[in-house]
Amino acid sequence: MRKPIYTEWRFWVIIAVIVLGIAIAAAIVQQQEQARNNPPSASPQPATATQLPSQETAPTPSATVAPVASAANPTPPTSTPTNAVPSAGTPPTTTPPSADPGQTAPADQVPLPKSEVLAYSRQLKGAPYIRDVAVGTDNIEIHYFGSFAEFAQANPGTQLTKADYNENFSSRDAINKILMEAPVQLFRQFPGTASIDITLPYSGKTYSVSLTKGSVEKFFNTDLDGIETDEQWAEQISGPYFNKEYRDQFAQRYIQVK
């Protein structure tokens, strides 16, 4: 009698192959379903670096000399030098230095605004006789004409006379007044200024000062950055110090004569 087929080993081998095939097919179908339900996410893209514009080097004083009074501007002032400048009790009036609204750097790290310094220097005492003003990154240099003849040669259309010229410089105290008051006014107006040099030749002698902001604040015993109003200026600077006694002390300490 023939044995049932399920007792033969070939039967079970066929059954195992069929089961294995069904399992593999089911696994493939499951992976396909998962792929359709969960599409792969896009791979992240690397960040793009943004290069900031480079900052140009600010000009040095030797490269930024600009004339204040010259033959190219022959239009005469409408008043004498004495009347053309503010009184000792009030500093020259001008708008504060402009700044970029986005600028966050401290004032002492921002290059000085050349055009504003030049405009402000025209309000200083004896301004018509300033030959040139040099504006560096944090330094201001002012040079006066060496004589009235030199001034008149550079400004042939001027109506100022030699008497007007002498009125500004004929006494030592008048020269001391210019060399003491102009620097402190400039330091206050332009907080980023670190040093100021002024040279004033007159009658065969050359008077000059070379000052740092710190030395001026020490002499006037004040913090110039803290002076925000004309009332504070009058109370802390011009009232107590703009007189002959302190001008003589200032001259003895800082003014050089050659």
Side-chain angles (χ1 to χ4, degrees):
M1 182 176 181
R2 187 177 181 180
K3 295 180 180 181
I5 190 170
Y6 59 82
T7 61
E8 297 183 7
W9 63 271
R10 296 183 185 87
F11 173 79
W12 295 110
V13 170
I14 294 172
I15 294 299
V17 170
I18 292 172
V19 172
L20 181 61
I22 293 173
I24 293 174
I28 293 174
V29 171
Q30 185 178 5
Q31 289 180 354
Q32 291 176 345
E33 288 294 333
Q34 290 179 351
R36 284 195 296 268
N37 295 333
N38 301 300
S41 59
S43 59
Q45 297 297 325
T48 303
T50 301
Q51 184 175 0
L52 297 177
S54 60
Q55 181 177 2
E56 295 181 359
T57 303
T60 59
S62 60
T64 57
V65 176
V68 171
S70 66
N73 184 20
T75 304
T78 56
S79 61
T80 64
T82 302
N83 295 330
V85 297
S87 63
T90 304
T93 302
T94 187
T95 56
S98 61
D100 184 346
Q103 179 67 54
T104 58
D108 60 357
Q109 297 180 13
V110 180
L112 295 175
K114 178 181 176 181
S115 60
E116 295 177 25
V117 173
L118 296 178
Y120 189 83
S121 67
R122 294 188 180 97
Q123 303 180 54
L124 300 174
K125 184 171 178 59
Y129 306 108
I130 293 177
R131 187 187 68 199
D132 56 62
V133 178
V135 183
T137 303
D138 59 2
N139 170 263
I140 300 174
E141 291 186 17
I142 297 177
H143 302 91
Y144 283 79
F145 284 104
S147 64
F148 179 76
E150 183 182 352
F151 163 76
Q153 183 178 5
N155 298 270
T158 183
Q159 294 183 357
L160 295 174
T161 65
K162 189 171 184 178
D164 296 326
Y165 176 78
N166 289 333
E167 185 177 355
N168 283 268
F169 311 118
S170 59
S171 71
R172 176 63 193 271
D173 187 57
I175 293 175
N176 291 346
K177 181 180 179 68
I178 292 173
L179 296 180
M180 183 178 86
E181 295 181 10
V184 68
Q185 290 168 348
L186 288 165
F187 278 127
R188 179 207 174 188
Q189 183 65 25
F190 302 101
T193 308
S195 61
I196 293 177
D197 302 282
I198 301 179
T199 302
L200 195 164
Y202 181 75
S203 189
K205 295 182 180 180
T206 299
Y207 303 85
S208 63
V209 289
S210 183
L211 302 166
T212 64
K213 187 175 182 178
S215 65
V216 168
E217 288 180 326
K218 182 177 180 180
F219 179 83
F220 289 102
N221 193 29
T222 190
D223 176 11
L224 293 174
D225 293 342
I227 299 178
E228 299 178 350
T229 66
D230 290 342
E231 289 74 16
Q232 291 176 315
W233 171 267
E235 180 181 351
Q236 299 180 38
I237 302 293
S238 63
Y241 292 104
F242 284 5
N243 54 62
K244 189 177 185 307
E245 178 184 357
Y246 278 102
R247 285 196 291 270
D248 289 343
Q249 293 182 24
F250 182 90
Q252 184 176 6
R253 187 177 302 182
Y254 298 112
I255 298 178
Q256 297 182 358
V257 183
K258 296 180 180 180

